[in-house]
Amino acid sequence: MINYTIYENSNADQWVTFVHGAGGSSSIWFKQIRDFQKQYNILLLDLRGHGESKTTLKTAFKQKYTFSALATDIHEVLDFLKIEKSHFVGISMGTILIRQLAEMYPDRVQSMILGGAILKMNFRSQILMRLGNLFKYVLPYLILYKLFAFVIMPKKSHRQSRLLFINEAKKLYQKEFIKWFKLTAEINPVLKWFRQVELNIPTLYVMGEEDYMFLPSVRNVVANHYKSSKLVVIQNCGHVVNVEQPNVFNAAVLSFIMTAQ
């Protein structure tokens, strides 16, 4: 089972589960824990190969990663902890896993908060993926990861987010990075389905106004999925909204969760 950390609130009966992105770990939520613990029980997860969820070399060769398999990892923790239902907060690739979980186990997802959500790969991100596939066995993964970080978070004001993710990515094995990168092969059909199908689950998208790669597609989806979805755009903010503008992010998410109970 993947590694998890819980912060319990004896006065709360609701849970908020945080899901980080590829190359990160549960430590990226350090600016959320204090505010959220005042009102909710918190569950932090380390996805496969990240943080404390280290795979052994033996299992690293055997496991094939799919979005459904990674979502099942999250479901296993919910079952083990006997958490019947939770609000889910994700960032970047973590938003895809939350949506996948909601497709597979909709009764376990009380609401979805998708920060820096990925709903469509634009032309630039498609080029990035192709470059990554060409060089993933040749270049040290950290060089690729730094390139991705600079393309997705290019501004000087995004430096903290870039460094945070690059420092977390340093803890991955090369083999682990390649397994996660291979997920990009199935990303387009998965995201196309997500854009087409609206789930009956309250959903909040929290995007930075400077998240030029992913914000346009999120605007389109929210316009089409207006029954269930809302969008908050944070000014002077890039892709990693929970790190760059934590106070605004926390206030928007807590307010939304109150309405989704």
Side-chain angles (χ1 to χ4, degrees):
M1 193 164 59
I2 59 173
N3 183 70
Y4 65 86
T5 305
I6 56 175
Y7 295 88
E8 292 190 75
N9 179 332
S10 57
N11 298 316
D13 59 357
Q14 303 219 359
W15 285 85
V16 178
T17 301
F18 291 88
V19 184
H20 65 81
S25 78
S26 58
S27 66
I28 69 153
W29 303 109
F30 69 99
K31 295 185 178 182
Q32 279 66 59
I33 294 169
R34 187 177 62 183
D35 286 353
F36 281 77
Q37 193 186 7
K38 291 174 185 174
Q39 299 179 51
Y40 301 102
N41 298 296
I42 294 175
L43 171 60
L44 303 176
L45 301 172
D46 284 327
L47 300 173
R48 287 188 196 183
H50 294 70
E52 298 301 316
S53 294
K54 292 297 184 190
T55 50
T56 63
L57 284 174
K58 187 177 178 182
T59 56
F61 284 102
K62 291 180 180 176
Q63 294 173 323
K64 182 179 186 293
Y65 291 6
T66 63
F67 288 113
S68 57
L70 295 165
T72 299
D73 288 348
I74 298 171
H75 186 253
E76 284 178 0
V77 177
L78 296 180
D79 276 354
F80 180 76
L81 296 174
K82 297 182 170 55
I83 299 172
E84 291 184 14
K85 208 161 192 172
S86 176
H87 304 277
F88 282 86
V89 181
I91 195 75
S92 195
M93 181 82 87
T95 65
I96 301 177
L97 299 183
I98 290 171
R99 177 60 198 265
Q100 181 69 43
L101 183 77
E103 293 277 347
M104 296 163 65
Y105 308 101
D107 56 319
R108 309 301 287 272
V109 182
Q110 198 161 346
S111 71
M112 298 186 287
I113 295 91
L114 310 177
I118 300 173
L119 282 174
K120 188 175 185 180
M121 306 302 282
N122 68 6
F123 179 73
R124 195 172 294 194
S125 53
Q126 299 274 11
I127 295 292
L128 262 184
M129 287 197 307
R130 284 179 187 159
L131 281 172
N133 273 313
L134 276 174
F135 295 112
K136 66 178 181 281
Y137 292 110
V138 181
L139 290 175
Y141 76 90
L142 209 52
I143 292 175
L144 285 175
Y145 201 87
K146 285 178 179 177
L147 173 65
F148 297 157
F150 270 100
V151 173
I152 295 169
M153 301 170 266
K155 292 197 170 188
K156 186 182 277 190
S157 58
H158 305 160
R159 184 171 181 272
Q160 184 188 7
S161 301
R162 279 199 307 270
L163 290 177
L164 181 68
F165 271 75
I166 289 167
N167 286 335
E168 285 298 321
K170 286 177 182 175
K171 301 170 188 174
L172 290 177
Y173 297 127
Q174 175 96 2
K175 288 271 188 293
E176 198 68 46
F177 176 83
I178 289 169
K179 291 173 90 73
W180 274 86
F181 199 86
K182 284 181 177 177
L183 273 173
T184 57
E186 67 170 279
I187 203 168
N188 284 330
V190 165
L191 294 183
K192 186 177 180 182
W193 174 260
F194 291 170
R195 293 195 302 272
Q196 290 173 343
V197 178
E198 181 175 9
L199 298 178
N200 188 30
I201 295 173
T203 304
L204 175 69
Y205 293 90
V206 187
M207 305 294 293
E209 67 163 342
E210 298 166 354
D211 194 356
Y212 68 97
M213 284 181 78
F214 303 117
L215 178 57
S217 57
V218 170
R219 287 191 192 277
N220 291 336
V221 167
V222 171
N224 292 326
H225 296 181
Y226 59 89
K227 291 177 185 173
S228 64
S229 300
K230 295 179 179 178
L231 170 63
V232 169
V233 178
I234 301 179
Q235 304 303 303
N236 304 311
C237 188
H239 183 60
V240 191
V241 283
N242 67 302
V243 172
E244 289 182 38
Q245 296 280 3
N247 294 334
V248 181
F249 177 85
N250 293 356
V253 175
L254 288 166
S255 174
F256 177 78
I257 290 177
M258 284 290 289
T259 67
Q261 291 182 18

